[in-house]
């Protein structure tokens, strides 16, 4: 054999040996992965099925899937960092690792992150549902021969929600300060079901009264069954003002934009999450017995003290006989409700619908059926402008003339029609729509601390009524100049432009930016 030929043969033999060695190392580079301990029941069940499967690519070391690479099966990343530039035709699962999904990446299946970090570029394509649980209680433990995913939930564990079990206090003209504290005891599992025992207590400072309740729940996967009882204070106007904004209005201005009633309730409910992704949808079935009783309005302390004769009563107006319309009596009912929220790059939506049917069973005082629908929608308009709509509708269903007073609500005041007094129109029928068009003003108008201003054009239309009322729709139109923490607003009744103008200055509460707003202000993608 000639020297040159022998050299070629030697090089070929060496390369062959290196390839065989590399293949052997690659085959041994991924140690087996097992699940130990106890975590969330749904995650545990999912991880058991994943770790038992052989039809997938298991990654336990930091890895890059390049732009031109295509993986045709599920990819599971355990305790490692994956930088994805290419295509995954199956699912992408991360456990205790980091998933960087870059602009050129595509995941055809679902994406699920458990106890790790998920960092998707807005330009990446995630075709399936996305479930992100970065705070799931798991850790990844490595040894030379095995990788263990350890669930960190104890067999029995006391959970204290909020701040050491305390929720954020609320403040209103009926209860004063409402303090609520609770705890949840996670009991040993029954098969794959997770039992809970929950209890809570409430103190109402203005009334010097206590409330509270308890329930027992059983959760398996996306379904939870609960049964319990409570003594509580309820309102039908949470759609008008959320707890925090209403409490601040009462504390600083002495204005309460809701009505309230006391209730003793016993209930059983079934909650089923129908989908978890960029859209979250939940269906709830509830059977309950509610004994309502009226509450009196008082004058708790506020920075701006209202006059004694201007304290708004806590009822829904007067009957033709001059009797206050107070919530009272027992309602035995079944309720079906559905709520869904989803986010897309160009729009977001949050909607809910409820049907309640009540009968004169278990000593019920009322028989009726009602429908309530609410929600909000926002979308990107021209040049990063934003169009928003909020709505709330309620009506008795055919066969029902009127609803009991504990199902009434109202229109009027800040939060609905600003140029009218609070609760100017009451009833068991209500229709209200708010439309707002937001224009970001030039960056040159940005001020220190308060940020860049926005200009809102606002239209409000609505009415509340009951059977026999003859009322026409009322409207407000106007504009608002808003900085990050403060706004100036002017609204008027279009029927009386010159005589009925409502000016106000207020504080903006923080809210989550919409996707197109985040994109407009975000730096260039660096993933």
């Amino acid at each position: 054999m000639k020297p040159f030929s022998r050299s070629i043969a030697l090089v070929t033999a060496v390369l062959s040996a290196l390839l065989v060695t590399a293949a052997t190392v690659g085959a041994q580079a991924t140690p087996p992965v097992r699940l130990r301990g106890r975590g969330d029941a749904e995650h545990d069940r999912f991880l058991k099925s994943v770790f038992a499967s052989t039809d997938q690519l298991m990654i336990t070391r930091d890895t890059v899937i390049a732009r031109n690479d295509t993986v045709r099966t599920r990819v599971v990343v355990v305790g490692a960092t994956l930088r994805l530039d290419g295509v995954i035709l199956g699912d992408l699962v991360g456990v205790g690792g980091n998933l960087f999904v870059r602009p050129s990446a595509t995941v055809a299946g679902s994406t699920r992150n458990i106890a790790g970090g998920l960092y998707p570029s807005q330009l990446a394509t995630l075709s399936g549902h996305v479930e992100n649980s970065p705070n799931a209680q798991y850790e990844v433990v490595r040894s030379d021969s095995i990788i263990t995913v350890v669930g960190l939930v104890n067999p029995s564990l006391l959970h204290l929600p909020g701040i050491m079990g305390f929720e954020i206090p609320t403040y209103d003209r009926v209860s004063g300060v409402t303090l609520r504290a609770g705890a949840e005891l996670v009991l040993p599992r029954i098969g794959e079901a997770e039992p809970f025992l929950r209890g809570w207590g409430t103190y109402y400072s203005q009334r010097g009264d206590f409330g509270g309740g308890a329930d027992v729940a059983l959760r398996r996967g996306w379904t939870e069954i609960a049964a319990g009882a409570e003594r509580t204070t309820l309102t039908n106007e949470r759609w008008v003002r959320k707890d925090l904004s209403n409490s601040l209005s009462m504390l600083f201005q002495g204005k309460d934009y809701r009505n309230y009633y006391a209730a003793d309730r016993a209930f059983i409910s079934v909650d089923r999450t129908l989908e978890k992704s960029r859209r979250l949808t939940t269906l709830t079935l509830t059977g309950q017995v509610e004994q309502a009783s009226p509450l009196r309005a008082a004058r708790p302390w506020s920075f701006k003290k209202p006059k004694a004769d201007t304290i708004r009563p806590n009822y829904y107006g007067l009957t033709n006989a001059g009797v206050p319309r107070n919530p009272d009596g027992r309602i035995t009912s079944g309720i079906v409700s559905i709520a869904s929220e989803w986010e897309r790059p160009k729009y977001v939506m949050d909607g809910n619908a409820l049907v309640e049917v009540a009968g004169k069973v278990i000593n019920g005082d009322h028989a009726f059926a009602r429908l309530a629908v609410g929600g909000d929608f926002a979308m990107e308009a021209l040049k990063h402008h934003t169009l928003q709509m909020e709505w709330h509708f309620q009506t008795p269903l055919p066969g029902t003339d009127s609803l009991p007073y504990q199902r009434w609500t109202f229109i009027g005041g800040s939060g609905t029609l600003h140029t009218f007094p609070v609760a100017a129109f009451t009833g068991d029928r209500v229709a209200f729509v708010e439309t707002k068009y937001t224009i970001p003003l030039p960056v040159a108008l940005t001020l220190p601390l308060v940020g860049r201003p926005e200009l809102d054009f606002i239209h409000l239309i609505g009415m509340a009524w009951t059977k026999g009322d003859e009322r026409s729709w009322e409207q407000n139109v106007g504009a608002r100049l808003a900085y990050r923490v403060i706004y100036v607003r002017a609204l008027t009744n279009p029927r009386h432009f010159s005589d009925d103008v409502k000016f106000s200055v207020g504080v903006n509460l923080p809210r989550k930016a919409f996707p197109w707003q985040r994109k407009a202000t975000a730096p260039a993608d660096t993933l």
Side-chain angles (χ1 to χ4, degrees), residues 76-410:
V76 181
V77 182
V78 180
T81 295
L82 172 67
R83 188 177 296 271
L84 176 63
D85 288 283
V87 176
I88 296 176
L89 297 181
D91 299 336
L92 173 60
V93 178
V95 184
N98 293 300
L99 307 177
F100 291 92
V101 186
R102 290 166 57 86
S104 61
T106 296
V107 179
S110 62
T111 302
R112 185 164 182 168
N113 169 53
I114 300 173
L118 174 60
Y119 310 101
S121 167
Q122 292 186 356
L123 300 178
T125 301
L126 303 179
S127 300
H129 81 270
V130 178
E131 184 172 342
N132 190 18
S133 304
N135 298 319
Q137 298 186 59
Y138 297 88
E139 68 176 1
V140 178
V141 179
R142 291 179 177 272
S143 68
D144 294 337
S145 59
I146 196 169
I147 295 177
T148 304
V149 177
V150 182
L152 302 178
V153 177
N154 295 324
S156 293
L157 187 65
L158 183 66
H159 290 171
L160 298 176
I163 303 174
M164 297 298 294
F166 286 89
E167 297 183 5
I168 297 176
T170 60
Y171 197 59
D172 60 68
R173 75 188 189 286
V174 169
S175 301
V177 177
T178 298
L179 295 175
R180 175 175 165 134
E184 177 182 80
L185 183 64
V186 183
L187 303 174
R189 280 185 185 158
I190 304 174
E192 294 185 348
E194 198 92 58
F196 299 87
L197 180 62
R198 296 178 289 221
W200 57 93
T202 310
Y203 174 68
Y204 308 103
S205 67
Q206 183 67 34
R207 295 147 50 190
D209 195 10
F210 291 90
D215 70 3
V216 59
L218 193 66
R219 183 183 304 148
R220 185 181 186 277
W222 291 5
T223 302
E224 178 177 301
I225 302 174
E230 65 176 348
R231 170 165 290 181
T232 187
T233 299
L234 301 176
T235 177
N236 295 328
E237 283 74 51
R238 192 164 275 109
W239 68 273
V240 176
R241 279 291 181 94
K242 298 295 190 293
D243 289 344
L244 179 58
S245 58
N246 190 76
S247 297
L248 293 176
S249 295
M250 185 63 215
L251 179 62
F252 288 98
Q253 299 179 313
K255 293 183 178 180
D256 190 339
Y257 294 92
R258 308 194 299 198
N259 283 341
Y260 308 87
Y261 65 94
D264 292 330
R265 295 198 311 145
F267 60 89
I268 182 169
S269 65
V270 179
D271 286 282
R272 172 66 179 176
T273 299
L274 302 180
E275 52 186 352
K276 288 183 181 179
S277 61
R278 293 176 181 175
R279 181 171 59 208
L280 175 64
T281 303
T282 304
L283 176 69
T284 303
L285 308 177
T286 304
Q288 67 176 27
V289 178
E290 174 188 292
Q291 179 68 50
S293 56
L295 293 170
R296 296 182 59 184
R299 287 198 302 161
W301 182 89
S302 62
F303 284 96
K304 182 180 178 181
K305 196 69 175 179
K307 297 179 182 179
D309 58 355
T310 62
I311 296 297
R312 185 169 63 86
N314 185 51
Y315 54 74
Y316 293 102
L318 301 173
T319 65
N320 293 332
V323 179
R325 288 170 164 157
N326 275 312
D328 196 8
R330 173 173 291 195
I331 294 178
T332 303
S333 64
I335 303 171
V336 180
S337 61
I338 188 167
S340 185
E341 58 184 62
W342 61 95
E343 179 177 305
R344 292 292 184 268
K346 298 294 185 180
Y347 70 89
V348 297
M349 185 170 180
D350 184 354
N352 59 81
L354 174 151
V355 173
E356 180 179 18
V357 179
K360 294 186 177 182
V361 296
I362 316 180
N363 297 322
D365 297 320
H366 306 281
F368 64 88
R370 70 175 177 121
L371 169 68
V373 179
D376 54 78
F377 172 80
M379 62 174 286
E380 183 180 17
L382 299 173
K383 297 182 179 179
H384 302 300
H385 298 182
T386 298
L387 174 65
Q388 292 178 255
M389 295 185 67
E390 296 185 20
W391 59 88
H392 184 81
F393 301 95
Q394 177 177 283
T395 181
L397 291 174
T400 300
D401 289 335
S402 61
L403 302 178
Y405 296 138
Q406 55 260 52
R407 297 295 184 266
W408 279 39
T409 187
F410 62 69

Side-chain angles (χ1 to χ4, degrees), residues 463-485:
M463 181 51 61
W465 70 99
T466 191
K467 186 177 180 180
D469 288 339
E470 295 183 4
R471 296 175 182 171
S472 59
W473 298 101
E474 295 289 354
Q475 302 181 62
N476 281 176
V477 295
R480 186 181 79 147
L481 177 65
Y483 280 87
R484 183 181 301 149
V485 295

Side-chain angles (χ1 to χ4, degrees), residues 497-517:
F497 271 107
S498 59
D499 301 328
D500 195 1
V501 180
K502 178 75 172 181
F503 290 99
S504 58
V505 178
V507 176
N508 280 323
L509 297 178
R511 69 165 179 82
K512 181 181 177 182
F514 297 122
W516 53 94
Q517 294 174 331

